[in-house]
Amino acid sequence: MGKCAKVIVCGMKGVGKTSILEQVIYGNVHSSMQFYPTIEDIYVANIESDRGIKEKVRFYDTAGLEQSQISTAHGTTNQQLPRHYLVLADGYVLVYDTDKPESLDVLISLKKDIDKNKDKKEVITVVIGNKTKELDASEYDSTLNKAVNWCSRERIKHFCASAMQRTTLFESFIFLTSKLNPPPSKSTFPQLSMGKKVLSKET
Ligand SMILES: Nc1nc2c(ncn2[C@@H]2O[C@H](COP(=O)(O)OP(=O)(O)OP(=O)(O)O)[C@@H](O)[C@H]2O)c(=O)[nH]1
């Protein structure tokens, strides 16, 4: 059986996590649809990587986080995912709403918590800014700019998409799938020869 990478989809409440997953996997979401708040759902998708190989990915759609301000000793905010996700995650899709600056703040503290707890395991993270409203560039610019700058400092890839437009989601999910399934590295051992070795007899 092939490897199935596990990806946690998380972010603030109501930013469009379920809509994004339903849209990218089934393509059945439109703006008049209402989703109930998620407790937890699991989706298994076959996604073609940029090498043209279909890879299986298991997505965990998580309950949206409240925008809570928990003060720590260092005066920072602290967003916490249920701990079992941190153990099983091979990757994360962090979602914010470009129209809600506070949803980006939630991601910033969430990422700190993920980094603190990921141990030495390498995880692949992407950020999706969900454009829930068609705004003037200037209206969502500051949140979007802040997100892009934060992502470049954190060395994570930022994508701007809309849960209502399926094709805008493909790039992020193909990128994630490709990173989760890198090409096998070349062996450092010398190639084993299949030919017969002819030993010359010592005379
Ligand atoms: N117009 C528009 N509405 C959206 C978009 N994305 C999500 N919505 C709506 O926003 C509401 C919440 O979306 P969900 O996908 O349930 O958000 P969620 O992050 O999974 O929510 P929780 O599970 O409560 O955390 C739904 O009514 C969606 O139809 C979008 O890009 N455009």
Side-chain angles (χ1 to χ4, degrees):
M1 209 172 69
K3 181 187 161 226
C4 181
K6 300 179 195 71
V7 173
I8 315 301
V9 181
C10 46
M12 200 179 88
K13 253 181 194 310
V15 291
K17 300 178 291 297
T18 305
S19 307
I20 286 174
L21 281 171
E22 288 277 338
Q23 188 71 288
V24 77
I25 296 171
Y26 302 117
N28 60 1
V29 177
H30 45 86
S31 52
S32 58
M33 276 170 87
Q34 291 287 329
F35 290 106
Y36 291 109
T38 304
I39 298 171
E40 179 187 91
D41 279 315
I42 296 174
Y43 298 76
V44 179
N46 282 308
I47 302 176
E48 197 169 301
S49 74
D50 56 13
R51 292 186 297 132
I53 300 170
K54 283 221 164 122
E55 307 283 3
K56 196 177 267 191
V57 184
R58 185 186 296 253
F59 292 99
Y60 292 77
D61 185 10
T62 61
L65 295 163
E66 300 282 354
Q67 191 214 354
S68 56
Q69 298 265 317
I70 305 167
S71 294
T72 65
H74 308 291
T76 53
T77 57
N78 194 13
Q79 287 296 331
Q80 289 211 329
L81 265 185
R83 305 289 88 180
H84 64 280
Y85 290 131
L86 298 165
V87 181
L88 62 84
D90 298 307
Y92 292 91
V93 176
L94 305 181
V95 183
Y96 74 98
D97 181 341
T98 53
D99 187 39
K100 293 186 186 142
E102 66 278 17
S103 67
L104 178 61
D105 297 337
V106 166
L107 290 195
I108 293 171
S109 8
L110 187 57
K111 173 78 171 40
K112 280 185 192 155
D113 183 42
I114 291 170
D115 286 347
K116 210 166 61 189
N117 289 286
K118 75 177 181 197
D119 213 7
K120 290 197 180 93
K121 188 176 172 184
E122 211 217 317
V123 291
I124 310 294
T125 304
V126 299
V127 171
I128 298 181
N130 186 23
K131 278 167 128 182
T132 52
K133 284 196 190 129
E134 266 316 315
L135 302 169
D136 281 345
S138 59
E139 284 181 280
Y140 66 78
D141 232 18
S142 61
T143 306
L144 195 59
N145 275 339
K146 191 175 166 193
V148 169
N149 289 336
W150 171 63
C151 287
S152 84
R153 281 198 304 279
E154 294 285 322
R155 294 168 193 272
I156 46 181
K157 187 104 166 142
H158 177 280
F159 296 89
C160 205
S162 165
M164 297 302 137
Q165 291 168 359
R166 193 177 190 209
T167 51
T168 64
L169 297 165
F170 290 158
E171 193 190 353
S172 51
F173 281 80
I174 292 170
F175 175 87
L176 176 73
T177 304
S178 307
K179 288 283 176 197
L180 287 167
N181 297 281
S185 56
K186 286 206 178 103
S187 167
T188 49
F189 290 110
Q191 290 283 309
L192 289 177
S193 166
M194 297 297 287
K196 236 186 198 171
K197 203 167 183 181
V198 181
L199 295 171
S200 58
K201 268 190 190 165
E202 268 182 35
T203 50

